[in-house]
Amino acid sequence: MADVEDGADVTEKDAGTVLVVDFGAQYAQLIARRVREARVYSEIVPSTTPVADILARRPRAVILSGGPSSVYAEGAPGIDRALFEAGVPVLGMCYGFQLMARALGGTVDNSGAREYGRTLLSVSRPDSTLFEGTPAEQQVWMSHGDACSAAPEGFTVTASTDTVPVAAFEDDERRLYGVQHHPEVMHSTYGQQMLEHFLYRGAGLSPDWTTGSIVAEQVEEIRAQVGGRRAICALSGGVDSAVAAALVQRAIGEQLTCVYVDHGLMRQGETEQVEKDFVAATGVRLRVVDAADRFLAALAGVSDPEEKRKIIGREFIRVFERAQAELVAEAGAVGEDVAFLVQGTLYPDVVESGGGTGAASIKSHHNVGGLPDDLEFELVEPLRKLFKDEVRMVGRELGLPEEIVHRQPFPGPGLGIRIVGEVTRERLDLLRAADAIVREELTGAGLDRQIWQCPVVLLADVRSVGVQGDGRTYGHPVVLRPVSSEDAMTADWSRLPYDLLAKISTRITNEVRDVNRVTLDITSKPPGTIEWE
């Protein structure tokens, strides 16, 4: 293996990491997730990262992602051959596979032979490192224009398709492997098994990255960071801030105080859940600020969605600033130092903001509603290396109630952006009632964990003609927006059973006054967003 550069800051965690080199693939995050599902820790690095820097981190293995470019395109991202000569196990996928082939002397043709979507892969070496125990013919997901026609010297061709003569190759001696398809997507039937073969057999890694190890590691890091000082956390009621707070609470106990700002825009029962269930499960010190009247007064007469977001964010900042000032003053009176702010930043936030190194910044749209940059706190972000599903697993490990752990994603501005039109107390009551029915029926049908979320939208500025009780009505329509997703970057509408939709519609129109029509949003993302405003 190449020597680590003098003075390089390499941690034990770095030395156990699988690095995913992102060549602009839409699936780079999914690759990292699949590696973690194999209980091996992984992180994403951009393709612009010098190979010397990659090797300086002493990764246990490297995966080269796919990408939208042709290896022949001017300015297409490349990879230094030194990576393949460093003794580090490498797996190339799609574009990464082609880069490996070219760098090591193989042939990649720009022949116009294309494969997109489901493709039948013929495995010629069923006893190989990657394919042992999988069928000789299997469905995979392809997305490429160029194709490899000759493997580099020293490699064994292990699979092909009707169009591509070299669809996979392996060199066990150098621990270098490549596949033309995308094993990370569910359409590649044996993709996860193949990926695990690379990790366990090719790279010799052990599946020892578990929720228990995550909790133990983070507790140790939090204690080292905070020491004997105090921290505060803006608790939103969502799973991210709840798990972050519970982790910090596990680490420093009463040195943490959580502040929950009740802006009056939460769904039915959620404020009570935070006040009772979360505190009972964690023992955290919680300060609840009832600011509903303040928020409603600020939102009076406002219908523009962006203006509503700005008002809610601004008022949250003011309320939280006041609460944190009171906490700091109280702590100062007894000689304590409140120096840390806990935030539930997740790994996708870090990746999508181009982060991962350097000081973290507070995102204006994130958990705490947009805190000002001049708050003089050091951030504690115990979830910044985790995906959403991993956060939920950590929450269960910490003993949080299932109702909190599996709470569907909910926007910071709350129901304020699920009312199309002015936000009033009466309209909030209508929407809460309709939303509660939807959540109750989804839970009763066992579907609330099978969908990503189901926003319920009140079209407050629209009146719909209806007939109820033999009389003509002019009520509001509501929109159901059930969606399926893995990370909210893309989403598709969930195909809920017709009988369930009918039951939801009947209950809403019967039980929620002034609502006489229920509609279903069947738009994917893109082109539509998950939320309406």
Side-chain angles (χ1 to χ4, degrees):
M1 176 180 287
D3 293 335
V4 176
E5 296 179 356
D6 292 339
D9 182 17
V10 180
T11 67
E12 288 302 315
K13 190 64 178 179
D14 281 329
T17 298
V18 172
L19 295 181
V20 177
V21 182
D22 180 10
F23 290 97
Q26 60 177 319
Y27 298 129
Q29 287 194 33
L30 185 56
I31 296 171
R33 286 167 55 92
R34 295 294 184 244
V35 173
R36 293 183 183 197
E37 287 172 9
R39 294 190 294 168
V40 176
Y41 183 69
S42 64
E43 289 186 10
I44 301 169
V45 296
S47 62
T48 53
T49 306
V51 165
D53 291 351
I54 292 175
L55 296 178
R57 293 187 59 178
R58 291 166 47 199
R60 296 287 301 277
V62 173
I63 296 177
L64 307 179
S65 82
S69 301
S70 164
V71 293
Y72 293 101
E74 184 177 352
I79 193 72
D80 191 333
R81 180 188 174 106
L83 176 66
F84 308 116
E85 298 172 341
V88 178
V90 181
L91 171 64
M93 300 179 178
C94 194
Y95 183 80
F97 164 70
Q98 295 171 7
L99 284 180
M100 179 187 292
R102 290 194 75 201
L104 295 175
T107 303
V108 177
D109 298 317
N110 189 1
S111 62
R114 301 173 181 271
E115 288 179 320
Y116 295 105
R118 292 178 175 86
T119 303
L120 189 63
L121 183 76
S122 298
V123 179
S124 55
R125 292 291 300 272
D127 60 342
S128 74
T129 296
L130 297 185
F131 292 109
E132 184 175 2
T134 67
E137 291 191 339
Q138 54 190 268
Q139 176 185 280
V140 298
W141 187 262
M142 291 285 194
S143 180
H144 67 95
D146 301 334
C148 183
S149 59
E153 184 177 351
F155 282 82
T156 299
V157 176
T158 54
S160 62
T161 71
D162 289 343
T163 304
V164 178
V166 183
F169 55 47
E170 305 181 21
D171 183 340
D172 285 317
E173 184 175 348
R174 289 184 288 179
R175 297 191 296 176
L176 302 177
Y177 306 88
V179 294
Q180 179 59 68
H181 66 277
H182 288 274
E184 71 275 20
V185 303
M186 62 181 180
H187 304 296
S188 293
T189 309
Y190 294 90
Q192 184 66 17
Q193 186 172 339
M194 192 225 76
L195 182 59
E196 291 178 2
H197 282 344
F198 166 71
L199 295 171
Y200 305 153
R201 304 175 66 198
L205 302 180
S206 299
D208 53 12
W209 193 66
T210 64
T211 53
S213 66
I214 295 170
V215 171
E217 174 191 311
Q218 285 303 315
V219 165
E220 182 180 343
E221 290 184 6
I222 293 164
R223 286 174 178 165
Q225 180 183 7
V226 176
R229 292 177 289 177
R230 287 182 56 186
I232 61 174
C233 175
L235 194 65
S236 70
V239 63
D240 301 340
S241 67
V243 174
L247 257 177
V248 176
Q249 168 70 15
R250 174 72 63 90
I252 64 174
E254 291 191 358
Q255 293 167 240
L256 172 69
T257 300
C258 290
V259 176
Y260 175 75
V261 177
D262 182 3
H263 50 27
L265 306 173
M266 299 298 286
R267 296 181 295 188
Q268 185 172 295
E270 288 181 325
T271 294
E272 294 77 11
Q273 186 180 78
V274 171
E275 290 185 275
K276 297 177 182 177
D277 297 347
F278 183 75
V279 172
T282 63
V284 73
R285 294 201 301 184
L286 178 66
R287 178 165 299 190
V288 178
V289 181
D290 185 355
D293 291 341
R294 174 173 180 156
F295 278 82
L296 285 173
L299 289 167
V302 178
S303 295
D304 180 74
E306 187 60 27
E307 184 63 21
K308 286 193 289 187
R309 285 179 178 270
K310 290 179 180 178
I311 290 171
I312 295 169
R314 180 195 70 210
E315 294 302 316
F316 187 97
I317 291 170
R318 299 286 82 84
V319 174
F320 185 81
E321 282 182 329
R322 181 174 178 178
Q324 61 91 9
E326 291 173 354
L327 288 172
V328 169
E330 292 169 7
V334 294
E336 295 181 331
D337 179 17
V338 182
F340 297 92
L341 174 66
V342 179
Q343 182 165 307
T345 306
L346 304 189
Y347 191 53
D349 300 322
V350 177
V351 173
E352 290 161 18
S353 62
T357 60
S361 60
I362 300 174
K363 298 177 67 176
S364 63
H365 66 279
H366 201 51
N367 299 285
V368 293
L371 297 176
D373 294 333
D374 59 358
L375 277 180
E376 296 180 356
F377 292 102
E378 182 180 338
L379 289 182
V380 179
E381 298 177 298
L383 310 180
R384 66 181 282 110
K385 292 183 177 181
L386 303 182
F387 290 100
K388 176 74 80 172
D389 54 340
E390 294 165 344
V391 171
R392 296 188 194 280
M393 289 189 290
V394 169
R396 286 195 294 270
E397 180 78 15
L398 292 167
L400 291 183
E402 287 293 304
E403 294 79 9
I404 291 179
V405 170
H406 286 285
R407 182 175 182 264
Q408 293 181 358
F410 191 59
L415 298 180
I417 60 167
R418 291 185 178 175
I419 294 176
V420 179
E422 181 185 3
V423 179
T424 68
R425 196 178 302 274
E426 293 73 20
R427 290 173 172 181
L428 284 167
D429 288 342
L430 291 181
L431 183 51
R432 281 196 191 94
D435 177 88
I437 290 171
V438 173
R439 287 191 290 149
E440 180 182 328
E441 291 300 335
L442 287 174
T443 300
L447 296 175
D448 53 346
R449 296 187 188 179
Q450 296 182 25
I451 63 174
W452 177 259
Q453 62 184 123
C454 185
V456 180
V457 181
L458 177 67
L459 304 184
D461 285 349
V462 176
R463 286 288 181 172
S464 172
V465 178
V467 177
Q468 292 174 301
D470 295 327
R472 193 177 183 87
T473 63
Y474 293 93
H476 297 290
V478 296
V479 181
L480 310 184
R481 176 71 166 131
V483 294
S484 300
S485 179
E486 287 196 335
D487 51 20
M489 296 179 68
T490 60
D492 193 13
W493 64 281
S494 301
R495 276 63 168 176
L496 299 181
Y498 289 152
D499 289 346
L500 175 61
L501 290 171
K503 186 176 182 181
I504 289 172
S505 177
T506 299
R507 283 197 60 190
I508 290 176
T509 53
N510 284 348
E511 299 174 29
V512 183
R513 61 178 177 81
D514 291 337
V515 173
N516 65 358
R517 192 177 298 269
V518 177
T519 65
L520 178 67
D521 184 345
I522 59 171
T523 313
S524 63
K525 176 188 179 183
T529 56
I530 293 178
E531 299 291 344
W532 271 49
E533 292 200 340

